[in-house]
Coordinates of all heavy atoms in Angstrom, one line a residue:
I14 N 10.0 12.9 -32.9 CA 9.3 11.9 -31.9 C 7.9 11.9 -32.1 O 7.2 10.8 -32.2 CB 9.7 12.3 -30.6 CG1 11.3 12.0 -30.2 CG2 8.8 11.6 -29.5 CD1 11.8 12.4 -29.0
T15 N 7.2 13.2 -32.2 CA 5.8 13.2 -32.4 C 5.2 12.6 -33.7 O 4.1 12.3 -33.8 CB 5.3 14.6 -32.2 OG1 5.9 15.4 -33.0 CG2 5.5 15.0 -30.7
A16 N 6.2 12.4 -34.7 CA 5.8 11.9 -35.9 C 5.9 10.3 -35.9 O 5.4 9.9 -37.0 CB 6.6 12.4 -37.1
M17 N 6.4 9.8 -34.9 CA 6.5 8.4 -34.9 C 5.2 7.6 -34.7 O 4.4 8.1 -33.9 CB 7.6 7.9 -33.8 CG 9.0 8.6 -34.0 SD 10.0 8.1 -32.7 CE 10.6 6.4 -32.9
D18 N 5.1 6.4 -35.3 CA 3.8 5.7 -35.0 C 3.7 5.3 -33.7 O 2.6 5.3 -33.0 CB 3.9 4.5 -35.9 CG 3.8 4.7 -37.3 OD1 3.3 5.9 -37.7 OD2 4.1 3.8 -38.2
E19 N 4.8 4.8 -32.9 CA 4.7 4.5 -31.5 C 4.3 5.8 -30.6 O 3.5 5.6 -29.5 CB 6.2 4.2 -31.1 CG 6.6 3.0 -31.7 CD 7.3 3.1 -33.1 OE1 7.4 4.3 -33.5 OE2 7.8 2.1 -33.6
F20 N 4.6 7.0 -31.0 CA 4.1 8.1 -30.2 C 2.6 8.2 -30.3 O 1.8 8.4 -29.3 CB 4.8 9.3 -30.7 CG 4.3 10.6 -29.9 CD1 5.0 10.8 -28.6 CD2 3.5 11.6 -30.2 CE1 4.7 12.0 -27.9 CE2 2.9 12.7 -29.5 CZ 3.7 12.8 -28.3
A21 N 2.0 8.0 -31.4 CA 0.6 8.1 -31.7 C -0.1 7.0 -30.8 O -1.1 7.1 -30.3 CB 0.2 7.9 -33.1
E22 N 0.6 5.7 -30.9 CA 0.1 4.7 -30.2 C 0.1 5.0 -28.7 O -0.9 4.6 -28.0 CB 0.9 3.4 -30.4 CG 0.7 2.8 -31.8 CD 1.7 1.6 -32.0 OE1 2.3 1.1 -31.0 OE2 1.9 1.3 -33.3
L23 N 1.2 5.5 -28.1 CA 1.2 6.0 -26.8 C 0.1 6.9 -26.4 O -0.5 6.8 -25.3 CB 2.6 6.6 -26.5 CG 2.8 7.1 -25.0 CD1 2.7 6.0 -24.0 CD2 4.0 7.9 -24.9
E24 N 0.0 8.0 -27.2 CA -1.2 8.9 -26.9 C -2.5 8.3 -26.9 O -3.4 8.5 -26.0 CB -1.2 10.0 -28.0 CG 0.0 11.0 -27.7 CD -0.2 12.2 -28.8 OE1 -0.6 12.1 -29.8 OE2 0.1 13.3 -28.2
Q25 N -2.8 7.3 -27.8 CA -4.0 6.5 -27.8 C -4.1 5.7 -26.5 O -5.3 5.6 -25.9 CB -4.1 5.6 -29.0 CG -4.3 6.4 -30.3 CD -4.2 5.4 -31.6 OE1 -3.8 4.3 -31.4 NE2 -4.4 6.0 -32.7
A26 N -3.0 5.0 -26.1 CA -3.2 4.2 -24.8 C -3.3 5.2 -23.7 O -4.2 4.8 -22.8 CB -1.8 3.5 -24.8
Q27 N -2.7 6.2 -23.7 CA -3.0 7.2 -22.4 C -4.4 7.7 -22.4 O -5.1 7.8 -21.3 CB -2.0 8.4 -22.5 CG -0.6 7.9 -22.2 CD 0.3 9.1 -22.6 OE1 0.1 10.0 -23.4 NE2 1.5 9.1 -21.7
A28 N -5.0 7.9 -23.6 CA -6.4 8.4 -23.7 C -7.3 7.2 -23.1 O -8.2 7.4 -22.5 CB -6.8 8.8 -25.0
A29 N -6.9 5.9 -23.6 CA -7.7 4.8 -23.1 C -7.6 4.7 -21.6 O -8.6 4.4 -20.8 CB -7.3 3.6 -23.8
V30 N -6.4 4.9 -21.1 CA -6.4 4.8 -19.7 C -7.2 5.8 -18.9 O -7.8 5.6 -17.9 CB -4.7 4.8 -19.3 CG1 -4.6 5.0 -17.8 CG2 -4.0 3.5 -19.7
R31 N -7.1 7.0 -19.4 CA -7.9 8.1 -18.8 C -9.4 7.8 -18.8 O -10.1 8.0 -17.8 CB -7.6 9.4 -19.5 CG -6.1 10.0 -19.1 CD -6.1 11.3 -19.6 NE -6.1 11.6 -21.1 CZ -5.1 11.5 -21.9 NH1 -3.8 11.3 -21.3 NH2 -5.1 11.5 -23.2
A32 N -9.9 7.3 -20.0 CA -11.3 6.9 -20.1 C -11.5 5.8 -19.2 O -12.7 5.9 -18.5 CB -11.5 6.6 -21.5
A33 N -10.7 4.9 -19.0 CA -10.9 3.6 -18.1 C -11.1 4.2 -16.6 O -11.8 3.7 -15.8 CB -9.8 2.6 -18.3
S34 N -10.1 5.1 -16.3 CA -10.1 5.6 -14.9 C -11.3 6.3 -14.6 O -11.9 6.2 -13.5 CB -8.8 6.5 -14.9 OG -8.8 7.3 -13.6
V35 N -11.9 7.1 -15.6 CA -13.2 7.8 -15.3 C -14.3 6.8 -15.1 O -15.1 6.9 -14.2 CB -13.5 8.7 -16.4 CG1 -14.9 9.3 -16.4 CG2 -12.5 9.9 -16.5
R36 N -14.3 5.7 -16.0 CA -15.3 4.7 -15.8 C -15.2 3.9 -14.6 O -16.2 3.6 -14.0 CB -15.2 3.7 -17.0 CG -15.7 4.3 -18.3 CD -15.9 3.2 -19.4 NE -14.7 2.5 -19.6 CZ -13.7 2.7 -20.4 NH1 -13.8 3.8 -21.2 NH2 -12.7 1.8 -20.6
L37 N -14.0 3.7 -14.1 CA -13.8 3.0 -12.8 C -14.2 3.9 -11.6 O -14.9 3.4 -10.7 CB -12.3 2.7 -12.5 CG -11.9 2.0 -11.2 CD1 -12.5 0.8 -11.0 CD2 -10.5 1.8 -11.2
K38 N -14.0 5.1 -11.7 CA -14.4 6.1 -10.6 C -15.9 6.1 -10.5 O -16.5 6.0 -9.5 CB -13.8 7.5 -10.8 CG -12.4 7.6 -10.5 CD -11.8 9.0 -10.8 CE -10.4 8.9 -10.6 NZ -9.8 10.3 -10.9
L39 N -16.5 6.1 -11.7 CA -18.0 6.2 -11.7 C -18.6 4.7 -11.3 O -19.6 4.7 -10.5 CB -18.5 6.5 -13.2 CG -18.3 7.8 -13.7 CD1 -18.7 7.9 -15.2 CD2 -19.1 8.8 -12.8
A40 N -18.0 3.7 -11.6 CA -18.5 2.4 -11.2 C -18.2 2.2 -9.7 O -19.2 1.7 -9.0 CB -17.7 1.3 -11.9
I41 N -17.1 2.8 -9.1 CA -16.9 2.7 -7.6 C -18.0 3.6 -7.0 O -18.5 3.1 -5.9 CB -15.5 3.3 -7.3 CG1 -14.5 2.2 -7.8 CG2 -15.4 3.4 -5.8 CD1 -13.0 2.7 -7.6
R42 N -18.3 4.8 -7.4 CA -19.3 5.6 -6.8 C -20.8 5.0 -6.9 O -21.5 5.1 -6.0 CB -19.3 7.0 -7.5 CG -18.1 7.7 -7.1 CD -18.2 9.2 -7.7 NE -17.0 9.8 -7.7 CZ -16.5 10.7 -8.4 NH1 -17.1 10.9 -9.7 NH2 -15.2 11.3 -8.3
S43 N -20.9 4.1 -7.8 CA -22.3 3.6 -8.0 C -22.4 2.2 -7.4 O -23.5 1.7 -7.3 CB -22.7 3.5 -9.6 OG -21.9 2.7 -10.3
N44 N -21.3 1.7 -6.7 CA -21.3 0.5 -6.2 C -21.8 0.7 -4.7 O -21.1 1.3 -4.0 CB -20.0 -0.2 -6.2 CG -19.9 -1.5 -5.6 OD1 -20.3 -1.7 -4.5 ND2 -19.6 -2.6 -6.4
A45 N -22.9 0.0 -4.2 CA -23.5 0.2 -3.0 C -22.5 -0.2 -1.8 O -22.4 0.4 -0.8 CB -24.8 -0.5 -2.8
E46 N -21.8 -1.4 -2.1 CA -21.0 -2.0 -1.1 C -19.9 -1.1 -0.8 O -19.4 -0.7 0.3 CB -20.6 -3.4 -1.4 CG -19.8 -4.0 -0.3 CD -19.4 -5.4 -0.6 OE1 -19.7 -6.0 -1.7 OE2 -18.7 -6.0 0.2
L47 N -19.3 -0.5 -1.9 CA -18.1 0.4 -1.9 C -18.4 1.7 -1.2 O -17.7 2.3 -0.5 CB -17.5 0.6 -3.1 CG -16.7 -0.6 -3.8 CD1 -16.2 -0.4 -5.2 CD2 -15.5 -0.9 -2.8
T48 N -19.8 2.2 -1.5 CA -20.1 3.5 -0.8 C -20.4 3.2 0.7 O -19.9 4.0 1.4 CB -21.5 3.9 -1.5 OG1 -21.3 4.0 -2.9 CG2 -22.0 5.1 -0.9
A49 N -20.9 2.0 1.1 CA -21.1 1.8 2.3 C -19.8 1.8 3.2 O -19.4 2.2 4.3 CB -21.8 0.5 2.7
L50 N -18.7 1.0 2.5 CA -17.5 0.9 3.1 C -16.7 2.3 3.1 O -16.0 2.6 4.3 CB -16.6 0.0 2.3 CG -16.9 -1.5 2.5 CD1 -16.0 -2.3 1.5 CD2 -16.6 -2.0 3.9
E51 N -16.9 3.2 2.2 CA -16.4 4.5 2.4 C -17.0 5.3 3.5 O -16.2 6.1 4.2 CB -16.6 5.3 1.0 CG -16.0 6.7 0.9 CD -14.5 6.7 1.1 OE1 -13.8 5.7 1.0 OE2 -14.1 7.8 1.4
E52 N -18.2 5.2 3.6 CA -19.0 5.9 4.7 C -18.4 5.2 6.0 O -18.1 6.1 7.0 CB -20.5 5.7 4.6 CG -21.1 6.5 3.5 CD -22.5 6.3 3.3 OE1 -23.0 5.5 4.0 OE2 -23.1 6.8 2.4
L53 N -18.2 4.0 6.1 CA -17.6 3.5 7.4 C -16.2 4.0 7.7 O -16.0 4.2 8.8 CB -17.6 2.0 7.3 CG -17.3 1.1 8.4 CD1 -18.1 1.5 9.8 CD2 -17.4 -0.3 8.2
R54 N -15.5 4.0 6.6 CA -14.1 4.5 6.6 C -14.1 5.8 7.2 O -13.3 6.2 8.1 CB -13.4 4.3 5.3 CG -11.8 4.7 5.4 CD -11.2 5.0 4.0 NE -11.8 6.3 3.5 CZ -11.5 7.5 3.8 NH1 -10.7 7.6 4.7 NH2 -11.9 8.5 3.1

């Protein structure tokens, strides 16, 4: 299974999702309106 091309593609896609998740979290934290809403919440 780990030798399959599809497995390598899956690992790359998972890494891309993790990186996008980190970027999204940083963008949310740096967004003033979202920060204000979080404080209000």
